[in-house]
Amino acid sequence: METHEDCIFCKIVAGDIPSAKVYEDEDVYAFLDISQVTKGHTLVIPKNHTKNIYETDDALAAKLFARVPKIANALKESFQPTGINILNNNEEAAGQSVFHLHIHLIPRYDETDGFKPNWITHEDKYDLADMSSTISTNL
Ligand code: 5GP
Ligand code: ZN
């Protein structure tokens, strides 16, 4: 297991910090976020430490994301939300505060449930053809 000494989520995986478990298998751990944005707000993490999406290899990403539908359905069954938002913050500028990759599962109930993405569009500002020729796809 790849762990990081000062990482709070590595400590949760190791059981050194208690957590409310939602799901666990060999590679993935899911637990309730200590600051519940909505009822059932869950974090899904790889057991192996990786900082964020930029530092995650294909195999780990595949394992992690493969578990999300199962966990989302478990939350749906348990809490009967009417929808769910799935969110992943990478780097401080994007709101990442714990630097161990995690996916937020945020069950949604109604307009006043506590979560509302601020989705402002700028159609006139960006040229799509120009952008697509700029993006590096040398992967
Ligand atoms: P981020 O802001 O990095 O996307 O999300 C980190 C999340 O981890 C926050 O929503 C925060 O509430 C949660 N969190 C931080 N420390 C703990 C902890 O010790 N236990 C649990 N269950 N969640 C935590
Ligand atoms: Zn970690």
Side-chain angles (χ1 to χ4, degrees):
M1 190 69 54
E2 257 186 64
T3 56
H4 227 256
E5 217 174 292
D6 294 322
C7 174
I8 198 162
F9 287 177
C10 283
K11 287 182 181 148
I12 283 176
V13 169
D16 295 338
I17 292 177
S19 63
K21 180 163 95 173
V22 171
Y23 173 82
E24 181 173 18
D25 64 31
E26 201 185 330
D27 305 302
V28 172
Y29 189 70
F31 56 105
L32 294 176
D33 194 304
I34 204 162
S35 306
Q36 292 278 288
V37 170
T38 65
K39 188 180 184 184
H41 178 187
T42 294
L43 301 173
V44 185
I45 68 172
K47 286 186 169 178
N48 274 330
H49 181 91
T50 180
K51 182 185 171 190
N52 58 34
I53 204 75
Y54 293 127
E55 297 187 7
T56 300
D57 66 33
D58 292 12
L60 189 60
K63 279 178 189 160
L64 182 66
F65 284 90
R67 307 310 192 269
V68 170
K70 188 197 296 226
I71 299 166
N73 276 300
L75 295 174
K76 187 181 180 200
E77 208 169 292
S78 306
F79 300 117
Q80 280 95 47
T82 45
I84 189 165
N85 287 104
I86 294 171
L87 182 73
N88 161 237
N89 301 327
N90 301 281
E91 303 292 3
E92 239 173 88
Q96 184 175 13
S97 63
V98 175
F99 293 90
H100 178 132
L101 178 67
H102 51 280
I103 302 170
H104 292 263
L105 269 53
I106 305 173
R108 297 298 306 277
Y109 300 90
D110 58 46
E111 281 286 303
T112 62
D113 59 16
F115 186 74
K116 195 177 173 91
N118 190 18
W119 204 284
I120 301 164
T121 58
H122 300 279
E123 292 89 353
D124 303 338
K125 211 169 162 184
Y126 304 112
D127 184 90
L128 302 193
D130 185 39
M131 286 166 64
S132 71
S133 66
T134 306
I135 293 167
S136 163
T137 49
N138 294 327
L139 301 174

